[in-house]
Amino acid sequence: MSRRTEPIHPLYFAAAFGTGGLLSFMVLFNGTLAAYGSLFFASWVPHLTGTVAAMLFLLVLRPKRARVTRPPVWVYLGGVSGAITVMLTSATLNSGLALSGTIALGLAGQMMFSLFADLRGLFGLPQRTPVRRDYLALVLIIAGSLILIFLGSGS
Amino acid sequence: MIWFAALAILAGVLVSLSRQINGRLALSTSAMESSFWNHLVGLVFITAVALLVGGLFAGEPTAAPWWAYFGGPVGVVFVAAGSWLIARIGAAQTALLIIAGQMISGVAIDILMGAPGNLWARTFGVGLILAGMWVVRGGRRA
């Protein structure tokens, strides 16, 4: 049971916040594709161009491998989970949930499973027990997000 | 409706699951290699499903503006960053800060693109998120 006493490193903090900003651009780009083509196409294209881009990044950056031993096969299947996400959301988008309901419930599912994974140390990642201020931050950020999702757009 | 709600929640669970699995792969390889496999395996999977279901090139995909095709390279950095972060600050804090960044940048993009919106709700929502970020940022047990 490790209880966090250190503040989040400013680099991690800024990187995580900036990564969320990238997501907005992905939504904008992929959403624009979906407006012209099928939802499959809107997911297929970024996976295709992403695979090419990642290959180029790997060739140029040549990152060091952390371990020589090969990891188990299941760790290569994260992409399947991501691809299924796209298919599920394309189904719920067209239901009564619409975009706002899809995003709101998705946030809930993401946070619940993230907390569970941290508490249990799932998939060989470090176990960590969220402290009270983590839960307070969760309430504030999710409440702010719900306000933006349900009340922020449209006048 | 309850079925669709369950599917929407499951979609969120899968976002987190994917980040965890990619984070585990990054521990054995590197964040960028994990992002590469995420995209390649996802591409193969989507291609297979699209071939089964059909309709991949339905609509008017060639009419999309050129910049819309750049979601891929952005996604590569997104997945690599998530894989890198999750082993360092945990799944919950990674998810929280990414959500905060997405929401606030989303408001900024909406304002820049002139999308209609309620000023008070935007201000209040962004304020709550900033407060949450301030809370999560500090150390020591509250």
Side-chain angles (χ1 to χ4, degrees), chain A residues 62-83:
Chain A
R62 298 199 172 275
K64 258 199 279 209
R65 275 223 163 174
R67 291 175 200 164
V68 194
T69 50
R70 290 197 71 79
V73 178
W74 61 262
V75 302
Y76 290 92
L77 297 180
V80 174
S81 175

Side-chain angles (χ1 to χ4, degrees), chain A residues 48-125:
Chain A
L48 178 65
T49 57
T51 303
V52 175
M55 267 167 62
L56 294 176
F57 276 131
L58 284 175
L59 284 173
V60 174
L61 300 173
R62 298 199 172 275
K64 258 199 279 209
R65 275 223 163 174
R67 291 175 200 164
V68 194
T69 50
R70 290 197 71 79
V73 178
W74 61 262
V75 302
Y76 290 92
L77 297 180
V80 174
S81 175
I84 295 175
T85 305
V86 177
M87 293 166 194
L88 288 180
T89 48
S90 62
T92 57
L93 271 180
N94 296 313
S95 75
L97 295 175
L99 179 63
S100 47
T102 299
I103 298 178
L105 290 170
L107 291 186
Q110 188 184 159
M111 285 318 306
M112 284 190 301
F113 192 63
S114 296
L115 285 169
F116 178 71
D118 276 347
L119 284 164
R120 302 295 292 270
L122 291 186
F123 304 111
L125 292 171

